[in-house]
């Protein structure tokens, strides 16, 4: 049975990859030198849609330019020089996720290289990035699967076939379909195993630009407090655990045990993040968050002013962006509350500052003045401040996802089906169309920075109190 791409929701044609039927040790050793002289050589492959919504996350890729890598002797970096196939991206590439069913057992690296025509060093780096997953049994093909894909799925999941696989004994079908990261290039995969390969993982080039040691606010016995830079991920993404705050902060401090995430802030947000040094303290801090013993203050740079006081909205319980919120109570929706403690007029960031920090111009009509708000976050929902401020006609500067929707609603007050001037709908289908139209008014997630900083974090009645440096717009 030939290997097949079972599904790929994002990639559609035009994808190209290294051709490497067999690679000698000499070729492997000379790869980096070769990449510095030549652009990657590609050829076309095809793939198909997936029914798994989790596979639909954006992915990016790059070619290599070793000259842009930080020097191993640089005083700003204590981590080893990374000069393999995936150092720092130069440009975005089309998303690509490949889904395979293993036809011949063997080391996972060899199988992926052979099936996708990818170079071994490239695949090793994908594994290091955490971009390769496996499941003992492949998921169901999507509704638009080809007859060949359906045939292979039926063939490898036939009960008589599964009964012959010792690795599946004692597991339910659903348990066998659970995915896990591949952690070693020589990990053995048996016939029938499902593989998901994020060929173009999401990249975080800012990780290589940061003086990470200078971003450390405090180092305690059980935790580290980091002033997280915008444009970075706290703990990594589904397809990239290498380019993350925990990885680079661990290296900057020379720790032998990796730091652990205790809470999250958006990639485009900067400021205080607590990283645990042990699993035990990670659990302790999670408990403090649940017991509301952790207090977080934020600074937001907004396009228009807001009055001081508590703002309450209700967020739709759908785990995907954009986060939709309503001013009125809706059963099953999550309550979101924050307190605007201060709001003062400040200059709109200059062009020089916007260019330096890659702030996106989202089309706000007046850019004479901005407003800096100090916020006490009373509930902690994903995108809460961003969504609530946009709904209050005071979107955050640089927020390319929520500011376009705020502008659209100002121009057309009845556009938001959950807003103050929402329309009455004659049917659920009419409302669903309105909701989809409202979602379409939102833009994409910011690539680097927005006007938001987690400026303070404290717990245990201020026994532990930490503050970030000046936000980017004051620099």
């Amino acid at each position: 049975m030939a290997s097949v791409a079972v599904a790929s929701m994002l990639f559609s044609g035009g994808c190209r990859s290294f051709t490497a039927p067999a690679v000698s040790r000499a070729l492997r050793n000379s790869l980096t030198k070769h990449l510095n002289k030549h652009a990657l050589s590609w050829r076309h492959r095809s793939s198909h849609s997936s029914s798994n919504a989790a596979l639909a996350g954006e992915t990016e890729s790059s070619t290599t330019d070793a000259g842009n890598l930080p020097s191993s002797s640089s005083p700003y970096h204590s981590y080893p020089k990374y000069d393999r196939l995936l150092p720092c991206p130069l440009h975005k590439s089309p998303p690509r996720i490949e889904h395979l069913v293993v036809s011949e057992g063997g080391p996972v690296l060899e199988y992926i290289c052979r099936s996708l025509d990818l170079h071994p060093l490239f695949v090793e780096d994908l594994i290091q990035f955490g971009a390769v997953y496996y499941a003992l049994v492949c998921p169901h093909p999507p509704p638009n699967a080809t007859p060949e894909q359906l045939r292979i799925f039926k063939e490898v999941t036939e009960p008589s076939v599964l009964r012959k696989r010792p690795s599946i004994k004692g597991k339910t079908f659903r348990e066998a379909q659970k995915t896990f990261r591949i952690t070693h290039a020589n990990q053995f995969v048996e016939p029938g195993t499902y593989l998901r390969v994020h060929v173009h993982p999401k990249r975080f080039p800012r990780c290589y630009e940061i003086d990470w040691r200078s971003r450390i606010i405090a180092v305690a016995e059980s935790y580290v407090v980091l002033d997280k830079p915008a444009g970075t991920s706290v703990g990594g993404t589904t397809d990239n655990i290498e380019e993350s705050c925990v990885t680079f902060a661990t290296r900057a401090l020379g720790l032998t045990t990796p730091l652990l995430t205790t809470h999250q802030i958006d990639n485009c947000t900067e400021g205080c993040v607590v990283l645990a040094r042990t699993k035990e303290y990670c659990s302790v801090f999670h408990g403090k968050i649940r017991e509301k013993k952790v207090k977080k203050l934020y600074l937001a740079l907004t396009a228009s002013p807001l009055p001081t006081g508590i703002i309450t909205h209700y967020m739709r319980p759908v785990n995907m962006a954009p986060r939709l919120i309503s001013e009125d109570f809706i059963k099953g929706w999550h309550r979101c509350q924050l307190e605007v403690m201060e709001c003062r007029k400040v200059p709109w960031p200059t062009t020089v500052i916007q260019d330096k920090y890659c702030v996106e111009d989202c089309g706000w009509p007046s850019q004479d003045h901005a407003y800096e708000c100090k916020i006490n976050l009373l509930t902690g929902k994903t995108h809460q401040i961003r969504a609530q401020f946009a709904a209050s006609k005071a979107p955050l500067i640089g927020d390319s996802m929520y500011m376009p929707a705020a502008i659209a609603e100002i121009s057309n007050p009845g556009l938001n089906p959950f807003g103050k001037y929402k329309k009455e709908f004659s049917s659920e289908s009419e409302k669903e169309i309105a909701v989809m139209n409202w979602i379409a008014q939102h833009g994409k997630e910011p690539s680097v920075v927005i006007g938001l900083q987690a400026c303070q974090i404290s717990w245990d009645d201020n026994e532990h109190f930490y503050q970030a440096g000046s936000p980017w717009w004051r620099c």
Side-chain angles (χ1 to χ4, degrees):
M1 177 181 68
S3 64
V4 296
V6 174
S8 178
M9 176 170 265
L10 291 176
F11 179 74
S12 57
C15 186
R16 298 164 291 177
S17 57
F18 266 120
T19 302
V23 183
S24 67
R25 182 179 299 272
L27 179 58
R28 289 168 59 89
N29 293 339
S30 64
L31 175 65
T32 304
K33 181 178 179 181
H34 171 77
L35 291 174
N36 291 339
K37 295 182 178 179
H38 306 280
L40 300 184
S41 175
W42 306 96
R43 70 182 184 84
H44 178 271
R45 288 190 61 86
S46 62
S47 47
H48 306 277
S49 298
S50 170
S51 60
N52 190 343
L55 303 179
E58 289 188 343
T59 55
E60 302 170 355
S61 178
S62 69
T63 58
T64 298
D65 184 352
N68 283 351
L69 288 172
S71 169
S72 58
S73 61
S74 169
Y76 301 111
H77 304 278
S78 61
Y79 49 87
K81 182 179 178 182
Y82 184 62
D83 56 2
R84 295 283 294 277
L85 186 58
L86 296 174
C88 188
L90 298 178
H91 65 272
K92 295 182 180 180
S93 294
R96 179 184 175 190
I97 304 175
E98 295 286 352
H99 303 253
L100 307 171
V101 177
V102 175
S103 58
E104 299 176 6
V108 65
L109 182 141
E110 292 182 9
Y111 190 83
I112 293 174
C113 292
R114 184 170 64 251
S115 300
L116 300 180
D117 295 328
L118 295 175
H119 195 286
L121 285 183
F122 187 94
V123 178
E124 285 183 25
D125 287 328
L126 290 179
I127 292 172
Q128 179 180 335
F129 268 48
V132 182
Y133 290 78
Y134 80 96
L136 294 175
V137 176
C138 64
H140 291 275
N144 60 343
T146 65
E148 176 66 8
Q149 292 169 345
L150 293 173
R151 182 192 68 77
I152 291 176
F153 173 78
K154 292 179 180 179
E155 181 177 318
V156 299
T157 58
E158 185 72 30
S160 60
V161 174
L162 295 180
R163 282 195 295 268
K164 297 177 181 178
R165 296 178 58 186
S167 60
I168 299 177
K169 289 185 178 179
K171 296 181 176 64
T172 65
F173 193 79
R174 184 179 296 272
E175 289 172 342
Q177 288 182 316
K178 186 176 180 179
T179 57
F180 300 90
R181 270 195 173 99
I182 294 286
T183 57
H184 300 288
N186 59 353
Q187 184 170 330
F188 181 86
V189 287
E190 64 183 10
T193 300
Y194 162 73
L195 293 175
R196 186 176 82 229
V197 184
H198 296 257
V199 182
H200 296 164
K202 183 174 177 62
R203 305 309 304 276
F204 295 93
R206 282 215 73 202
C207 286
Y208 302 93
E209 304 168 2
I210 302 299
D211 174 5
W212 287 91
R213 193 64 184 84
S214 71
R215 307 291 299 204
I216 304 297
I217 298 173
V219 180
E221 181 180 356
S222 302
Y223 62 86
V224 169
V225 183
L226 175 72
D227 188 352
K228 173 192 172 294
T232 62
S233 170
V234 177
T237 58
T238 300
D239 52 7
N240 187 345
I241 58 176
E242 170 70 17
E243 294 171 335
S244 66
C245 290
V246 292
T247 298
F248 280 76
T250 298
R251 290 172 179 170
L253 292 171
L255 302 177
T256 56
T257 302
L259 293 167
L260 304 170
T261 58
T262 63
H263 62 110
Q264 295 281 350
I265 60 176
D266 290 346
N267 296 343
C268 53
T269 303
E270 64 181 16
C272 297
V273 172
V274 178
L275 306 174
R277 298 185 65 175
T278 65
K279 291 183 179 179
E280 291 74 18
Y281 192 77
C282 192
S283 298
V284 168
F285 199 83
H286 286 160
K288 294 181 186 297
I289 293 175
R290 287 194 301 270
E291 296 164 10
K292 300 190 182 300
K293 293 181 178 179
V294 179
K295 183 177 181 180
K296 302 176 185 178
L297 297 186
Y298 285 79
L299 289 177
L301 187 68
T302 68
S304 58
L306 280 177
T308 57
I310 294 178
I311 300 176
T312 302
H313 289 93
Y314 298 88
M315 181 177 288
R316 185 175 69 151
V318 175
N319 189 27
M320 62 184 299
R323 306 289 170 147
L324 304 186
I325 60 175
S326 168
E327 294 189 7
D328 299 326
F329 170 81
I330 299 179
K331 185 177 180 180
W333 286 35
H334 304 305
R335 187 178 67 166
C336 296
Q337 280 193 321
L338 56 81
E339 178 187 7
V340 178
M341 304 171 67
E342 301 172 7
C343 185
R344 64 188 186 93
K345 182 184 288 188
V346 297
W348 193 279
T350 65
T351 301
V352 173
I353 291 293
Q354 292 185 56
D355 290 344
K356 179 180 179 181
Y357 292 97
C358 303
V359 183
E360 298 185 46
D361 183 356
C362 307
W364 191 259
S366 174
Q367 298 185 357
D368 296 327
H369 298 283
Y371 299 84
E372 184 180 278
C373 298
K374 192 172 186 177
I375 304 159
N376 179 17
L377 192 61
L378 302 177
T379 59
K381 302 299 180 184
T382 302
H383 291 193
Q384 178 182 330
I385 295 175
R386 298 166 59 185
Q388 284 197 268
F389 271 56
S392 302
K393 311 296 190 297
L396 275 55
I397 290 176
D399 195 343
S400 53
M401 176 170 286
Y402 291 96
M403 185 179 279
I407 295 172
E409 187 177 12
I410 291 172
S411 302
N412 185 355
L415 187 61
N416 182 357
F418 308 108
K420 183 177 181 180
Y421 302 102
K422 60 181 178 293
K423 300 175 182 178
E424 294 295 329
F425 300 101
S426 58
S427 65
E428 282 300 315
S429 60
E430 183 182 357
K431 185 175 182 179
E432 288 178 7
I433 293 173
V435 171
M436 294 304 297
N437 289 336
W438 174 235
I439 291 174
Q441 300 301 318
H442 295 72
K444 61 180 179 61
E445 183 70 2
S447 58
V448 180
V449 65
I450 62 174
L452 188 61
Q453 182 200 54
C455 62
Q456 291 180 15
I457 190 167
S458 60
W459 60 96
D460 295 344
D461 296 324
N462 285 341
E463 179 181 344
H464 306 275
F465 178 92
Y466 301 98
Q467 189 163 337
S470 296
W472 61 263
W473 56 87
R474 291 188 193 168
C475 298

